[in-house]
Every structure is written in C-alpha cells, then in structure tokens.
Amino acid sequence: MSSPEIASLSWGQMKVKGCSTTYKDCKVWPGGSRTWDWRETGTNHSPGVQPADLEEVVQKGVQTLVIGRGMSEALQVPPSTVDYLKKKGIDVLVLQTEKAVEEYNALAAQGVQVGGVFHSTC
C-alpha cells in the first residue's frame, strides 16, 4: 500500500489526494489519512508533538515519519519524541510544513512507506 500524495497546502488547509476532506492539521500513512486533532492528546505548540500524537502512524508500519512544524515553525518537537521514533527504527524528518510536505511527497513518489503529521498554520 502506498502513501497518499498531499495534493495541496495553504495556510490552514491541506488536501490529500483521493480524500474529499480538507484538513487543518492531518496525519497520513500508507493507505490513509485523517484529521490530527490535538485535543486527543492535549498537544500544544509547546512542549509540542508527543509520542502519543505519532503512535497511530507508527502502527501503520512506516519506515520514515515526517513532522511538519507549521508555516512559521511554532510547533515544537522535543528530543524525546525524536528518540521515541529512532528507538523504533523509524527515520524522522522535522521540518517547516511546506518543506515537510515536499519531502513527504518525494518519499511517497519513491515508494517509501512514509507517514506524516502536519500542522498547517503557525
């Protein structure tokens, strides 16, 4: 199963190819996507992305996980979150969201089992 292409990104809006939903923040993985609702794990810009935010994507068997920190990189990613992924043998890229989407799409196009969590505003 391949990772879906992110078809478009603008401030506060993301579209995933093959999905009719417009996301503000989203999670993507091989074969699917859904809204990333920060309230599920109590996520805020600081301390930022927690392992609990990533667990669902990790369980989909990704080789690489791309984290989009927002258009102005306001969303933090603590070292403990990066360590969590590395201990599971998952490559991780933490980037500004536009760059993160570019990298994610490039990896998906190469057939990499890539997942991502993307913040589309600040």
Side-chain angles (χ1 to χ4, degrees):
M1 203 169 310
S2 62
S3 300
E5 176 187 347
I6 296 173
S8 67
L9 166 67
S10 60
W11 184 274
Q13 295 189 341
M14 296 185 72
K15 296 284 289 176
V16 175
K17 193 172 185 176
C19 179
S20 60
T21 304
T22 298
Y23 300 113
K24 177 179 172 250
D25 299 324
C26 74
K27 297 182 179 188
V28 290
W29 58 83
S33 65
R34 79 168 182 93
T35 293
W36 178 17
D37 183 350
W38 292 15
R39 293 172 295 192
E40 292 172 358
T41 55
T43 296
N44 287 298
H45 287 104
S46 182
V49 182
Q50 303 301 305
D53 294 308
L54 308 175
E55 187 60 35
E56 177 180 18
V57 178
V58 166
Q59 289 177 359
K60 305 293 184 182
V62 298
Q63 299 167 297
T64 302
L65 200 145
V66 181
I67 301 172
R69 293 189 49 211
M71 300 301 216
S72 304
E73 299 185 87
L75 178 60
Q76 301 301 302
V77 180
S80 57
T81 297
V82 173
D83 291 345
Y84 160 79
L85 292 167
K86 288 183 175 176
K87 284 179 183 158
K88 292 194 168 287
I90 297 170
D91 293 328
V92 59
L93 297 169
V94 179
L95 301 163
Q96 185 267 354
T97 296
E98 290 161 311
K99 291 180 177 73
V101 166
E102 286 175 23
E103 287 293 323
Y104 168 88
N105 279 342
L107 290 165
Q110 293 168 26
V112 174
Q113 293 292 104
V114 61
V117 293
F118 301 99
H119 179 43
S120 74
T121 58
C122 45

